[in-house]
C-alpha cells in the first residue's frame, strides 16, 4: 500500500475534495406499479426502523402473518432498480436507498445484538435542518462512527441520516472507498462539511481523528486534542447547532496494548495495533469483543446567534471547542461511573 498522508480536519490550507470512483446518472423513478408499491420494504427489514421491525410481523388483523411475500417483492424490486440503474446518488456519491435497505441492515445486528447499544438523549438532535454532531473517537477500528449512524437513523423520531466526515485514508482504500461514499461519508474538510450543513444535513465529526482511535488502552476515555477548532468554524459559518456526543464501550472492543510502528510505516498507515488477540490469533483476532455500549447525545450548543465574522475569531473558536470537549469528557466520566460492567 502506498504511504498515505493523513491531514487533520481543521487544516488551514485549502483542501481538494476527493470525488468518488464512479458516478451513477440520476434517473427519475418510474410511476409506481402494484409490484413496486412495497419496494420500500427491504428483504428482511421492515420500514420504520426499530419501531417498524417490532410491528411488521403481524398482518393487518394482528394475526402474526410473517409477510414474507411483501419482503420478497420488496427485495426483487430493489434488485430490479439496481440492475436497470433506476436509483439516485447525490454529488458526494451517497446512495440513500442502498444505505437504508442494505448497509443499515448489515450493521443493525451488530448494533442491536452484539454491542447492545443503549441510546440516550437522541431528542437533542434537531428534527430538521443542519446540525453538527461531535463525538469522541476510539476502538482501533472506526466502528463507533458506524454505530452512531445506526443510532441516529433507528432511534431518532425523524429517522434522520448522519453524514460522517472521514479521513483521507478511507478514500484511498479499495472497496472501502466505494462503500464509504455510498453510505454518505465524505472527506473531512471544511468545504464539504459546510455544504452539507447548509443543505440541512446532519453531519458527524470525530475531531480526535487517528489520535483518538489509535491511542493506547491505558489512555482509554481520555480525550485527545481536538485540533484548532475547524469544526466550530464550520458550524459558525453555517449557523447550525453543535451536538456533543459521548460513546462508552468502543474503547474495549480491541484493547490496544502496543503499536508496531515499523510495520505501520511500511504499510503507510497511522498505526499497526497489537492487542491481546491480534495478530496472535490471525483473522480470529480481528473479531471485536462484545462490549456493552452507550451513546449519549448532549444538549445542543447554538451558533446562530453569532455574527458572520465570528468564524474568524480564534479566541471564540478556542472557547467553543473547549466547551464541546469538556461536555463530552464530563459525560464520559458520568457514564463510566454508572456502568455496571464492560460487557453487561
Amino acid at each position: 500500500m502506498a504511504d498515505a498522508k493523513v491531514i487533520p480536519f481543521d487544516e488551514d490550507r485549502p483542501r481538494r475534495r476527493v470525488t468518488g470512483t464512479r458516478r451513477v446518472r440520476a434517473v427519475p423513478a418510474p410511476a409506481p406499479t402494484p409490484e413496486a408499491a412495497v419496494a420500500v420494504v427491504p428483504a428482511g427489514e421492515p420500514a420504520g426502523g426499530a419501531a417498524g421491525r417490532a410491528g411488521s410481523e403481524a398482518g393487518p388483523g394482528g394475526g402474526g402473518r410473517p409477510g414474507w411475500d411483501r419482503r420478497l417483492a420488496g427485495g426483487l424490486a430493489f434488485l430490479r432498480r439496481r440492475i436497470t440503474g433506476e436509483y439516485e446518488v447525490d454529488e458526494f456519491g451517497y446512495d440513500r436507498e442502498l444505505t437504508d435497505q442494505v448497509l443499515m441492515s448489515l450493521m443493525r445486528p451488530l448494533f442491536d445484538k452484539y454491542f447492545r447499544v443503549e441510546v440516550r438523549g437522541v431528542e437533542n438532535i434537531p428534527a430538521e435542518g443542519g446540525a453538527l454532531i461531535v463525538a469522541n473517537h476510539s476502538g482501533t477500528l472506526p466502528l463507533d462512527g458506524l454505530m452512531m449512524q445506526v443510532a441516529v437513523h433507528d432511534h431518532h423520531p425523524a429517522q434522520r441520516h448522519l453524514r460522517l466526515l472521514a479521513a483521507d485514508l478511507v478514500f484511498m482504500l479499495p472497496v472501502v472507498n466505494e462503500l464509504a461514499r455510498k453510505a454518505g461519508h465524505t472527506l473531512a474538510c471544511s468545504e464539504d462539511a459546510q455544504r452539507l450543513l447548509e443543505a440541512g444535513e446532519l453531519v458527524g465529526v470525530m475531531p480526535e481523528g487517528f489520535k483518538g482511535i489509535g491511542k493506547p488502552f491505558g489512555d482509554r476515555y481520555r480525550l485527545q486534542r481536538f485540533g484548532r477548532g475547524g469544526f466550530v468554524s464550520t458550524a459558525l459559518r453555517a449557523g447550525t447547532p453543535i451536538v456533543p456526543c459521548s460513546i462508552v464501550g468502543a474503547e474495549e472492543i480491541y484493547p490496544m496494548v502496543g503499536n508496531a510502528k515499523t510495520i505501520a510505516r511500511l504499510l503507510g498507515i497511522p498505526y499497526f495495533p497489537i492487542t491481546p488477540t491480534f495478530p496472535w490469533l490471525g483473522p480470529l483476532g480481528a473479531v471485536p469483543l462484545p462490549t456493552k455500549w452507550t451513546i449519549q447525545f448532549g444538549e445542543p450548543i447554538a451558533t446562530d446567534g453569532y455574527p458572520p465574522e465570528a468564524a474568524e475569531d480564534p479566541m471564540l473558536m478556542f472557547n467553543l471547542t473547549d466547551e464541546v470537549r469538556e461536555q463530552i469528557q464530563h459525560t464520559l466520566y458520568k457514564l463510566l461511573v454508572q456502568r455496571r460492567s464492560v460487557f453487561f
Side-chain angles (χ1 to χ4, degrees):
M1 181 186 298
D3 287 353
K5 182 181 178 183
V6 179
I7 306 175
F9 166 71
D10 58 356
E11 187 69 37
D12 293 331
R13 64 188 180 85
R15 301 293 309 282
R16 179 175 63 85
R17 179 169 64 83
V18 178
T19 60
T21 57
R22 181 174 65 89
R23 289 194 179 274
V24 180
R25 183 181 301 276
V27 178
T33 63
E35 293 79 13
V38 295
V40 296
V41 183
E45 178 57 33
R53 293 197 303 276
S56 65
E57 294 299 323
R65 182 171 175 268
W68 287 109
D69 53 344
R70 296 175 60 85
R71 296 182 182 184
L72 179 60
L76 292 175
F78 172 79
L79 290 176
R80 185 199 66 195
R81 289 193 296 274
R82 293 284 120 183
I83 294 172
T84 60
E86 297 175 0
Y87 62 93
E88 297 181 356
V89 298
D90 69 7
E91 59 181 312
F92 297 95
Y94 175 43
D95 190 329
R96 182 181 293 255
E97 182 185 49
L98 182 70
T99 299
D100 283 349
Q101 300 195 18
V102 178
L103 302 182
M104 283 288 174
S105 298
L106 293 175
M107 293 187 290
R108 201 167 276 127
L110 199 63
F111 182 95
D112 289 333
K113 305 299 183 182
Y114 197 77
F115 294 134
R116 296 147 290 145
V117 183
E118 178 185 355
V119 180
R120 303 179 183 178
V122 73
E123 66 277 0
N124 290 318
I125 300 174
E128 57 184 17
L132 184 66
I133 298 178
V134 182
N136 58 304
H137 206 13
S138 63
T140 305
L141 290 180
L143 296 181
D144 50 359
L146 300 179
M147 296 301 101
M148 189 166 63
Q149 270 192 292
V150 180
V152 172
H153 181 271
D154 283 6
H155 290 264
H156 194 278
Q159 291 188 321
R160 301 204 62 181
H161 294 80
L162 181 63
R163 310 290 295 272
L164 290 174
L165 303 179
D168 299 36
L169 180 61
V170 172
F171 302 102
M172 297 177 182
L173 300 175
V175 181
V176 174
N177 165 37
E178 188 72 13
L179 287 176
R181 288 286 179 188
K182 294 290 187 183
H185 306 175
T186 189
L187 188 67
C189 66
S190 299
E191 293 84 356
D192 282 7
Q194 186 171 346
R195 288 167 65 188
L196 287 170
L197 289 172
E198 290 175 346
E201 299 280 1
L202 279 182
V203 178
V205 63
M206 294 170 163
E208 293 175 281
F210 290 119
K211 299 187 299 293
I213 196 174
K215 64 176 176 286
F217 187 65
D219 292 335
R220 59 191 180 279
Y221 298 115
R222 297 175 187 170
L223 292 184
Q224 305 299 298
R225 184 173 175 266
F226 264 29
R228 291 170 297 218
F231 68 91
V232 169
S233 176
T234 301
L236 286 169
R237 287 191 177 95
T240 54
I242 300 173
V243 181
C245 176
S246 301
I247 304 173
V248 164
E251 293 276 15
E252 294 90 0
I253 61 173
Y254 297 110
M256 186 169 162
V257 296
N259 178 14
K261 296 182 179 179
T262 302
I263 298 178
R265 284 195 297 269
L266 290 174
L267 295 177
I269 55 180
Y271 55 87
F272 185 86
I274 297 175
T275 75
T277 58
F278 182 84
W280 325 115
L281 299 183
L284 187 62
V287 177
L289 297 177
T291 58
K292 176 73 170 63
W293 288 33
T294 301
I295 299 179
Q296 178 160 333
F297 299 97
E299 293 282 344
I301 299 171
T303 64
D304 54 357
Y306 294 97
E309 61 271 16
E312 308 299 330
D313 185 346
M315 185 56 67
L316 175 62
M317 285 192 293
F318 174 81
N319 290 335
L320 286 176
T321 301
D322 192 57
E323 180 182 353
V324 174
R325 187 181 183 279
E326 287 300 315
Q327 187 169 335
I328 295 173
Q329 184 70 81
H330 176 74
T331 304
L332 286 175
Y333 288 148
K334 184 173 67 175
L335 292 174
L336 288 171
V337 170
Q338 296 172 352
R339 183 169 68 167
R340 296 181 302 163
S341 163
V342 172
F343 299 100
F344 304 102

